[in-house]
Amino acid sequence: MKPAPFRYHLPATLQEALELLAELGDDAKVLAGGQSLLPMLGYRLTAPAHLVDIGGLSELRGWELDEAGLRIRAMARQREVELDPDIGLRFPILHAAIAHVAHAQIRNRGTVCGSVAHADPAAELPATMVALGATMVLERSGGRREVPAADFFQFHFTTAIETGELLTEVRIPSPRSGSTGTFLEISHRKGDFALVGVAATVVADGDRVAAARIVCAGVAPTPFVAVAAEQAVVGRVLDDATLLVAQYCASEGMSPTDDFHAEGAYRRQVAGVLVRRSLDVIRSQQGALSA
Amino acid sequence: MSQVETTATRHVGTSMRRREDHRLLIGAGKFLDDLDFGACYEAAVLRSPYPSARIRSIAVERARQAPGVVAVFTAADLGPILQDLPPKVTHPSLNRQPRYPIAVDAVRYVGEPVAVAVASNRWLAEDALELIEVDYDLRPGVGSTASALAEGAPLVHEASDTNVAVHIVQQSGDPDAALRTAPHVLRDTFVITRGGGHSMEGRAVAARYDRAASQLTVWDATQTPHYVRHMLAALYGMTEDEIRLIAPADIGGGFGPKAQFYGEEALIPWIAMHLGATVKWIEDRWESFISSTMERSQTHRMEIGFDDDGRILVLKDVFEHDQGAYCVGLQVPTITMSTLPGPYKIPNIHSELIACYTNMVPTSSLRGAGRPQAVAATERMVDRIAEHLGLEPSEVRRRNLIQADEFPYAVGLRFRDGSPLTYDSGDYPALLDGALERIDVPAFRTEQAIARREGRFLGLGIGMFVEGSGLGPFEGARVRLTNAGRILVTLAASPQGQGYETVYAQLAADAIGVDIEHVEVRHGDTSTIPFGQGTFASRVTATAGPAVHEACLRLRAELLAAGAVALGVDPDDVTLGGSSVSVAWAPERTVTLQDLAAVSNMGRHGMSVDPRMPVAIEATAYFKPLRAVYTSGIYAAVVDVDVETGMVEVVRSVLGHDCGVVLNPMIVDGQMYGAFAHGIGNALYEEAAYDEDGQPLATSYLDYPLPTAMEVPRPELFHVVSPSPLNSLGVKGAGEGGLIPVPAAIANAVEDALRPFGGRVNRLPLTPARVLAAIQGTTRQ
Amino acid sequence: MPEDPATSSGGCEVIELSFVVNGEPVTLSSDVRVSLAEILRRDLRLTGTHLGCEHGSCGACTVIVDGLAVRSCLMLAAQAQGADVETVEGLARGDELDDLQAAFREHHALQCGFCTSGFLMSLTARLREGPVVSEFQAREALSGNICRCTGYVGLVDAVLSLAADSGKEPLK
Ligand SMILES: Cc1cc2nc3c(=O)[nH]c(=O)nc-3n(C[C@H](O)[C@H](O)[C@H](O)COP(=O)(O)OP(=O)(O)OC[C@H]3O[C@@H](n4cnc5c(N)ncnc54)[C@H](O)[C@@H]3O)c2cc1C
Ligand code: FES
Ligand code: FES
């Protein structure tokens, strides 16, 4: 389980990093926290000729939290974000989702952006980013573009990031007032990737749901937006009947495949259950919504 | 009988803190890969990526030229040691197929060694593996016993016309007649899938050859150093004395897989001799997933006949056992055969084994060794009897248990050591009572009923077992007065966390009558004790224990005799205490053990000693158990099942155990807790899944969930003590009992919780998906 | 004869590294594909840090880097450039065990001992954040490490005993 040989680059500035990525093209991989990349190198599942370590770039550390929202830069570690009380207050769903990612020792190194870029279909953060309506900022040498989370995840382990591009920032807009959210999951053990996870956000207007975003992890190659469940709750009071309707239509259009951990049928069913339960959590958090 | 009374018992039976802990806590443990071998090559092994294939050719030239590579070996370079490695336990009717240290012309499981690269370090050795080109001719693989036995199945060994490795039947009474006449008969099929040992340290071997001394030294993280030395001597055509096998002082867990003999153990020392250099191979976790022996996969078809009161009249079980690609040993399935009857009086028994070759890693002993499977069939059926008759499962057990006054109890079958299956001692009703004192069944039923009305599903499950332990043929211990006047106890067996350095010091100090500070324990080095067997099957306490005891009593007699001569009094007039011998009626007249060593062990060059003076004070004893001793136990669990997601939470756990006399309660309890955690893994989490062709699907801990502190609850322990009459200490094995009943009891508890749905959980582990499928009446494989 | 393993690593680019280990500055050259764990074990012969899985799951390799518990198997040595690294060898004062180590011994929190240093380092970092006072907290604090021998009972008891001893004051 030793990595194949590679060349190691530690650029000192973002500019330098982007130039390196442009120059090295497909032969290079970005090294952020290394918590997914290093195991893959160890198993020799991948053997890039070059690693570009972005750990030295001070411009990519930390995050910005203001009225507009939260901008998480590429080297912000999962655990720093998790432990920040202001982020927890403004984005409880993000806090809840990160707490499900592995263990503290891994979150101490793993980055939020790395998890997003890695795009594991069973990972918590990609689904959470879709639920939060995040935007991915991609930079390349001499260029920059923004991709909405919903378009960013293309297939398992495949995103809109193109050769030469770096995900420099994940931008999460400030939640609308009256909005709340939660993240629930079923996994074999605490800290495992999700068998099924649900990231749900709801905006309340009085006692009714003005808008909802309900996204499932682990049920499709990319985060699955449970559109039918969203439609089932919008404009309604979150009473038990509404919750049940949301549960039963959550898996509409979802066709998870079987694997040795669980059949697709299991995932469909549990996704529905978690959708109902997350709405239940939301209505207990948001007094106005509890019918 | 017991001679422990020769001196006041001071250490045995107390929870002495462990001597090995200090070095481990400060990071100074001596695990194999922690040892400093100085200049040393490292080996990496190329492994088959296919479950079944013929090897057309292997091209190694590019690998041999790679940077840092000193040699690459394939079967073609290993002529002298391409010998069939014999199974550890065999049977006259075994369809024996050869197993070589490295694949010769075919591979039969993913992970089978195909070539070895030796380089100046592991990175370069792994680089070299990528340059080896193997031309495989793929064959269809066999990924389960069901497909092994299917009509027209591909043959795992083309030289055989069947995938059946062995077919054995044992009977007592007239089971077929009893099944015809029993008032009630129930049948069902129970499956336990594969699981691994997962010692945190993998396997490891290092070796060097000293030409001047004709001495091959092998370091091996093994549970059985003498067995490995014996295998190597036979393989290399060397005498035992030419091979020194050292199991390092610290071994990072064993649990069975490290008690087997593997191809790598044959290859690495030979390569070291061949290269005239030190070579080591450290199994990494990926290799461990695909090449360390596993266990558990069995399919039981059980029929049980009983009367209106729930008394068992007959038990018939026909089970398929997955032997893997080669037969490393038949211990596991033969133990299963004799574990089926458990603690119950069953007049008619039919126990039938069909072991199959499959294209998966060979199976062999793993903590519990065949017993959890047997218990997970019989104990499930006992609950079905209760369900059928509307009785409490504990009541059905009570009606069938062997009583405390019925020992020795002859079951009517044979144990795997060849001896009649005769339980030596026990008190099974006391175990059941102990559990029921702690879990009040009527109160639980009320709670369960209330919870159900609230949509919560609780269940209670019990599992009981009887475990043959303390197996032969023998175990040895050597005790010596060192020149420094200390007592050195040398064991043949090597521990993997069982605290031998502490427990055997306790035993020796008491038997000899010296202060424990003067006693040292060493183990696992064949150069210090010529014969031994090793640590497996919870056997050491019950075999090495009596051996240490016997040797210490002899040493004590010699020390007293020497002391008497030195003090000029009669042997009856001296006593031994602290670290000296003194005159009983004049305690100020004393001689230290160190002074005795100076006379008895070193002597004065060329001078005669007093003819009455014992010289060379040491004693070696081997204990040969007459037959196995039988540990027993019970586990009762309360679970809470989330019927919407299939998640199972174990909310209450009571574990009762009877391993006879306990030498160090803290260490025995620790063994129980550890085994229990493994049982939780087998019950709910761990599955070494394979696809139909034999491709392994779980090769990392992301796919093979080992339980953490969040998953393993704290069991409430209790002990029943039925000393064994078969050894001087009254001890029995304690390493596995905490595991054996756990999968069965949890499955019973889950099924109890699901009673309103009639859900059946017949396949372990009980993953959330399987539990949900049971609720919905669909079966998940 | 083979090279001395203390100076060998990989077969690709070599870089100069300096960092602090248990308070001592070290400087060495390392092949870039070598993990921090391997540097500690091979080059510095701090073999108390063990490798149980090399993919981040078992925790045997846990060390503290710049105050945070991390997997040293999932960190290139190059990523430790300039860092402050603490390993199990730095816990005891000479031959005297620190409180956590002593609690491990007292509560039989180890059997084979292979996992032990990882648990010690995870817990050392965790206890600096604040005391662990409930069984649930203890289990959570332990959950990033795997022990196959103990069933975790002794580990839980060891951690909780510290809270009891210290009158629930945070450690260090
Ligand atoms: C034992 C274990 C358990 C885990 N459990 C979970 C879990 O339960 N849930 C979960 O979600 N994750 C889990 N993870 C993965 C963890 O969250 C990783 O940290 C995360 O997936 C990757 O982040 P990283 O910073 O470590 O990225 P790296 O490992 O450095 O990189 C991952 C991939 O993303 C690319 N990449 C990283 N950053 C960028 C960037 N800024 N721009 C472009 N490409 C980039 C890399 O090139 C690489 O291909 C686990 C990991 C381990 C070892
Ligand atoms: S060796 Fe690093 S986590 Fe297992
Ligand atoms: S003590 Fe052996 S793995 Fe923990």
Side-chain angles (χ1 to χ4, degrees):
Chain A
M1 293 186 61
K2 308 296 182 208
F6 52 78
R7 282 189 59 88
Y8 174 81
H9 306 268
L10 183 69
T13 63
L14 179 57
Q15 184 58 31
E16 195 186 321
L18 296 177
E19 278 163 17
L20 263 172
L21 288 175
E23 176 194 331
L24 300 171
D26 281 336
D27 292 340
K29 270 216 178 279
V30 172
L31 172 64
Q35 304 301 289
S36 291
L37 185 54
L38 294 187
M40 287 167 56
L41 295 179
Y43 274 88
R44 297 203 179 199
L45 294 172
T46 175
H50 300 267
L51 286 192
V52 178
D53 184 353
I54 57 171
L57 306 180
S58 50
E59 22 324 27
L60 294 185
R61 301 227 174 97
W63 58 84
E64 216 65 63
L65 182 62
D66 55 28
E67 295 85 74
L70 174 64
R71 300 202 302 277
I72 302 174
R73 287 191 281 265
M75 281 311 297
R77 313 274 180 187
Q78 293 158 0
R79 189 144 165 86
E80 302 175 89
V81 176
E82 175 196 4
L83 292 182
D84 186 83
D86 295 330
I87 294 180
L89 223 54
R90 298 260 307 272
F91 303 91
I93 177 177
L94 182 59
H95 177 84
I98 295 179
H100 281 286
V101 176
H103 299 279
Q105 297 91 332
I106 294 178
R107 300 197 294 269
N108 277 335
R109 302 272 320 153
T111 63
V112 170
C113 288
S115 173
V116 168
H118 192 56
D120 188 313
E124 292 81 2
L125 297 182
T128 306
M129 293 310 165
V130 175
L132 288 169
T135 299
M136 312 301 164
V137 179
L138 303 180
E139 290 189 51
R140 60 164 60 247
S141 181
R144 158 193 173 103
R145 61 189 180 120
E146 297 186 5
V147 182
D151 302 331
F152 178 79
F153 300 102
Q154 300 183 333
F155 198 51
H156 41 70
F157 305 105
T158 310
T159 67
I161 302 177
E162 282 171 13
T163 304
E165 276 182 331
L166 188 65
L167 170 62
T168 50
E169 204 171 279
V170 171
R171 294 192 165 183
I172 306 174
S174 254
R176 285 160 60 183
S177 72
S179 139
T180 180
T182 191
F183 189 96
L184 297 183
E185 87 171 38
I186 292 291
S187 57
H188 282 294
R189 297 172 304 177
K190 182 192 169 282
D192 282 339
F193 280 96
L195 276 174
V196 183
V198 168
T201 59
V202 164
V203 184
D205 180 7
D207 64 352
R208 306 217 159 228
V209 174
R213 189 101 277 221
I214 300 175
V215 188
C216 307
V219 299
T222 58
F224 176 87
V225 181
V227 178
E230 292 173 358
Q231 285 165 352
V233 297
V234 171
R236 298 192 171 260
V237 174
L238 287 183
D239 55 16
D240 290 354
T242 307
L243 261 55
L244 273 180
V245 174
Q247 169 176 351
Y248 288 113
C249 62
S251 57
E252 223 176 272
M254 183 191 288
S255 47
T257 48
D258 296 351
D259 64 32
F260 75 94
H261 293 298
E263 282 90 2
Y266 174 86
R267 293 192 153 94
R268 282 172 63 100
Q269 164 146 358
V270 172
V273 171
L274 293 185
V275 165
R276 190 197 76 230
R277 289 183 183 177
S278 56
L279 292 170
D280 194 28
V281 171
I282 285 172
R283 73 176 171 183
S284 64
Q285 279 170 0
Q286 184 83 335
L289 283 172
S290 47
Chain B
M1 202 192 83
S2 172
Q3 292 290 307
V4 183
E5 313 84 70
T6 45
T7 58
T9 298
R10 287 165 303 161
H11 305 102
V12 167
T14 66
S15 291
M16 274 198 65
R17 296 302 179 257
R18 299 195 327 160
R19 296 177 150 196
E20 27 291 86
D21 287 355
H22 190 269
R23 67 170 181 268
L24 295 166
L25 285 163
I26 62 169
K30 300 188 194 89
F31 298 94
L32 194 146
D33 199 24
D34 297 346
L35 303 178
D36 190 349
F37 295 107
C40 175
Y41 291 127
E42 286 185 81
V45 179
L46 182 72
R47 298 179 182 280
S48 169
Y50 302 112
S52 182
R54 270 183 227 99
I55 298 176
R56 287 206 198 91
S57 64
I58 309 180
V60 296
E61 269 325 301
R62 281 178 62 218
R64 285 195 173 129
Q65 306 307 321
V69 172
V70 289
V72 177
F73 298 87
T74 68
D77 314 297
L78 297 165
I81 61 162
L82 285 185
Q83 297 172 40
D84 177 12
L85 305 174
K88 206 169 180 187
V89 172
T90 184
H91 187 273
S93 62
L94 172 66
N95 165 16
R96 185 160 155 199
Q97 296 298 327
R99 171 170 78 111
Y100 298 108
I102 193 163
V104 176
D105 47 18
V107 288
R108 295 189 176 81
Y109 65 93
V110 171
E112 183 164 2
V114 173
V116 183
V118 183
S120 42
N121 60 56
R122 179 71 183 234
W123 289 261
L124 297 172
E126 289 190 21
D127 291 349
L129 297 185
E130 300 202 11
L131 302 174
I132 300 175
E133 285 157 41
V134 186
D135 185 5
Y136 290 106
D137 177 13
L138 301 194
R139 303 183 59 228
V142 173
S144 69
T145 53
S147 44
L149 294 173
E151 192 82 31
L155 291 168
V156 176
H157 294 274
E158 287 176 290
S160 172
D161 57 4
T162 172
N163 287 324
V164 173
V166 78
H167 187 170
I168 307 173
V169 180
Q170 279 208 51
Q171 285 193 334
S172 77
D174 187 346
D176 289 323
L179 275 172
R180 280 193 302 275
T181 56
H184 308 271
V185 176
L186 293 173
R187 301 183 172 79
D188 213 339
T189 302
F190 301 99
V191 180
I192 295 200
T193 58
R194 276 181 174 241
H198 297 283
S199 54
M200 285 293 102
E201 176 201 40
R203 297 183 288 132
V205 188
R208 82 166 46 125
Y209 186 62
D210 178 345
R211 282 188 222 277
S214 305
Q215 181 79 36
L216 174 65
T217 307
V218 181
W219 292 263
D220 190 341
T222 178
Q223 298 170 231
T224 53
H226 289 83
Y227 169 63
V228 173
R229 181 189 58 166
H230 163 77
M231 294 291 283
L232 292 181
L235 204 56
Y236 302 159
M238 295 169 77
T239 65
E240 290 91 62
D241 289 350
E242 289 172 297
I243 302 176
R244 177 177 178 194
L245 202 300
I246 302 174
D250 296 307
I251 295 183
F255 313 122
K258 286 184 186 167
Q260 318 309 322
F261 184 80
Y262 294 84
E264 294 89 346
E265 287 166 294
L267 296 167
I268 299 300
W270 192 88
I271 289 172
M273 281 197 287
H274 194 80
L275 297 177
T278 309
V279 177
K280 80 173 167 184
W281 167 75
I282 307 295
E283 180 189 64
D284 66 29
R285 189 53 61 182
W286 173 70
E287 294 181 285
S288 160
F289 268 105
I290 60 169
S291 70
S292 273
T293 56
M294 305 183 181
E295 214 210 270
R296 303 282 196 254
S297 37
Q298 292 182 352
T299 300
H300 288 258
R301 293 193 173 76
M302 187 172 266
E303 294 174 73
I304 198 159
F306 50 98
D307 67 15
D308 296 341
D309 295 328
R311 291 211 165 70
I312 302 171
L313 303 171
V314 52
L315 178 93
K316 177 171 180 177
D317 184 51
V318 180
F319 69 100
E320 294 161 17
H321 172 80
D322 167 9
Q323 198 66 46
Y326 300 97
C327 182
V328 176
L330 284 175
Q331 58 272 35
V332 169
T334 51
I335 290 174
T336 305
M337 291 188 82
S338 55
T339 306
L340 288 163
Y344 307 114
K345 280 183 275 194
I346 306 178
N348 302 288
I349 303 170
H350 175 109
S351 171
E352 179 171 349
L353 157 70
I354 304 166
C356 311
Y357 290 116
T358 60
N359 289 114
M360 297 183 277
V361 181
T363 58
S364 194
S365 316
L366 166 58
R367 204 168 199 172
R371 300 175 186 89
Q373 298 93 314
V375 175
T378 303
E379 286 295 294
R380 302 303 315 283
M381 273 307 193
V382 172
D383 267 40
R384 299 287 173 83
I385 295 175
E387 183 188 67
H388 187 78
L389 297 176
L391 292 170
E392 203 36 83
S394 54
E395 182 53 31
V396 173
R397 289 186 169 80
R398 179 180 309 289
R399 292 179 188 177
N400 285 287
L401 288 178
I402 297 160
Q403 298 298 303
D405 59 3
E406 292 180 278
F407 292 92
Y409 181 89
V411 177
L413 304 178
R414 288 190 170 273
F415 190 52
R416 84 134 170 102
D417 64 353
S419 63
L421 186 61
T422 301
Y423 300 161
D424 55 335
S425 66
D427 188 346
Y428 309 147
L431 286 168
L432 183 60
D433 290 341
L436 299 181
E437 275 161 28
R438 291 165 175 84
I439 294 186
D440 178 343
V441 175
F444 170 76
R445 292 295 171 209
T446 311
E447 187 190 345
Q448 184 182 39
I450 295 170
R452 272 182 196 162
R453 265 177 262 135
E454 294 165 355
R456 280 178 59 227
F457 294 85
L458 304 179
L460 169 63
I462 296 176
M464 296 186 73
F465 71 96
V466 178
E467 172 203 357
S469 65
L471 299 185
F474 64 84
E475 197 53 85
R478 185 177 199 172
V479 187
R480 187 170 102 215
L481 176 67
T482 67
N483 293 349
R486 296 171 62 77
I487 305 295
L488 178 64
V489 180
T490 305
L491 301 171
S494 51
Q496 308 87 47
Q498 296 92 336
Y500 291 0
E501 291 172 34
T502 311
V503 176
Y504 292 102
Q506 290 179 267
L507 195 56
D510 286 0
I512 300 173
V514 290
D515 276 351
I516 195 160
E517 297 78 69
H518 300 292
V519 183
E520 253 169 74
V521 177
R522 302 241 179 91
H523 44 73
D525 182 345
T526 60
S527 72
T528 59
I529 177 162
F531 304 104
Q533 295 292 324
T535 302
F536 56 90
S538 297
R539 61 185 296 280
V540 172
T541 316
T543 54
V548 169
H549 188 235
E550 167 69 30
C552 287
L553 293 181
R554 281 198 241 145
L555 193 85
R556 174 180 165 82
E558 296 230 337
L559 292 172
L560 289 172
V565 176
L567 294 165
V569 294
D570 218 58
D572 290 344
D573 286 339
V574 290
T575 60
L576 184 52
S579 64
S580 50
V581 178
S582 16
V583 179
W585 33 266
E588 71 286 355
R589 284 175 61 191
T590 116
V591 56
T592 64
L593 295 185
Q594 182 162 12
D595 291 341
L596 287 181
V599 179
S600 295
N601 285 2
M602 294 188 272
R604 278 177 295 155
H605 198 66
M607 308 293 282
S608 320
V609 291
D610 186 318
R612 291 165 306 160
M613 188 64 149
V615 291
I617 298 187
E618 74 168 334
T620 302
Y622 290 93
F623 177 74
K624 297 174 286 189
L626 206 56
R627 51 194 163 81
V629 295
Y630 290 87
T631 301
S632 54
I634 187 166
Y635 171 54
V638 174
V639 300
D640 185 340
V641 181
D642 180 340
V643 298
E644 288 191 315
T645 63
M647 295 295 284
V648 175
E649 189 191 346
V650 181
V651 290
R652 193 77 206 277
S653 281
V654 172
L655 194 56
H657 196 232
D658 183 351
C659 61
V661 172
V662 169
L663 300 181
N664 181 321
M666 177 186 84
I667 288 176
V668 166
D669 287 357
Q671 289 293 311
M672 302 284 299
Y673 290 132
F676 173 71
H678 197 150
I680 291 287
N682 287 146
L684 295 171
Y685 301 102
E686 297 177 36
E687 176 168 3
Y690 280 78
D691 76 6
E692 289 141 41
D693 298 324
Q695 254 313 327
L697 301 174
T699 58
S700 85
Y701 287 132
L702 298 186
D703 285 322
Y704 187 94
L706 279 184
T708 75
M710 295 299 275
E711 284 76 40
V712 185
R714 175 194 298 261
E716 299 161 48
L717 293 193
F718 72 92
H719 292 276
V720 169
V721 179
S722 309
S724 174
L726 297 182
N727 62 61
S728 57
L729 300 172
V731 293
K732 302 177 176 184
E736 304 171 89
L739 187 160
I740 294 166
V742 176
I746 289 191
N748 279 340
V750 169
E751 217 163 271
D752 185 45
L754 301 189
R755 201 86 58 202
F757 306 89
R760 293 289 193 224
V761 285
N762 289 7
R763 194 181 174 97
L764 290 160
L766 300 178
T767 57
R770 287 200 180 113
V771 173
L772 205 59
I775 293 169
Q776 296 169 340
T778 54
T779 8
R780 172 177 162 81
Q781 286 308 298
Chain C
M1 280 305 280
E3 302 159 46
D4 184 344
T7 59
S8 69
S9 335
C12 57
E13 190 191 350
V14 172
I15 53 170
E16 291 296 314
L17 288 176
S18 330
F19 48 94
V20 173
V21 180
N22 299 327
E24 299 281 327
V26 295
T27 300
L28 46 83
S29 53
S30 159
D31 191 294
V32 293
R33 62 169 157 167
V34 177
S35 66
L36 174 60
E38 291 281 22
I39 286 286
L40 293 169
R41 291 179 49 77
R42 292 180 182 239
D43 294 60
L44 302 175
R45 299 238 25 97
L46 295 171
T47 53
T49 300
H50 291 141
L51 288 169
C53 72
E54 293 179 86
H55 60 273
S57 296
C58 75
C61 66
T62 308
V63 300
I64 298 177
V65 174
D66 293 331
L68 301 172
V70 302
R71 307 297 205 213
S72 62
C73 72
L74 294 190
M75 220 177 133
L76 295 177
Q79 292 175 292
Q81 183 76 274
D84 181 24
V85 180
E86 297 167 72
T87 72
V88 67
E89 288 87 353
L91 294 181
R93 291 164 295 267
D95 229 18
E96 194 193 325
L97 301 181
D98 79 2
D99 293 348
L100 184 63
Q101 290 169 313
F104 267 47
R105 179 160 201 259
E106 185 55 29
H107 293 276
H108 194 30
L110 62 154
Q111 289 182 22
C112 80
F114 194 81
C115 67
T116 305
S117 25
F119 275 100
L120 288 168
M121 299 318 287
S122 288
L123 291 170
T124 297
R126 169 62 185 81
L127 289 166
R128 284 179 194 163
E129 289 172 14
V132 170
V133 294
S134 70
E135 173 136 359
F136 181 80
Q137 280 182 349
R139 289 182 176 277
E140 205 159 45
L142 296 165
S143 69
N145 294 67
I146 289 171
C147 174
R148 191 58 153 171
C149 297
T150 63
Y152 305 103
V153 173
L155 286 155
V156 170
D157 290 345
V159 183
L160 290 178
S161 75
L162 293 181
D165 293 351
S166 70
K168 304 195 179 184
E169 284 306 319
L171 239 93
K172 296 210 177 174

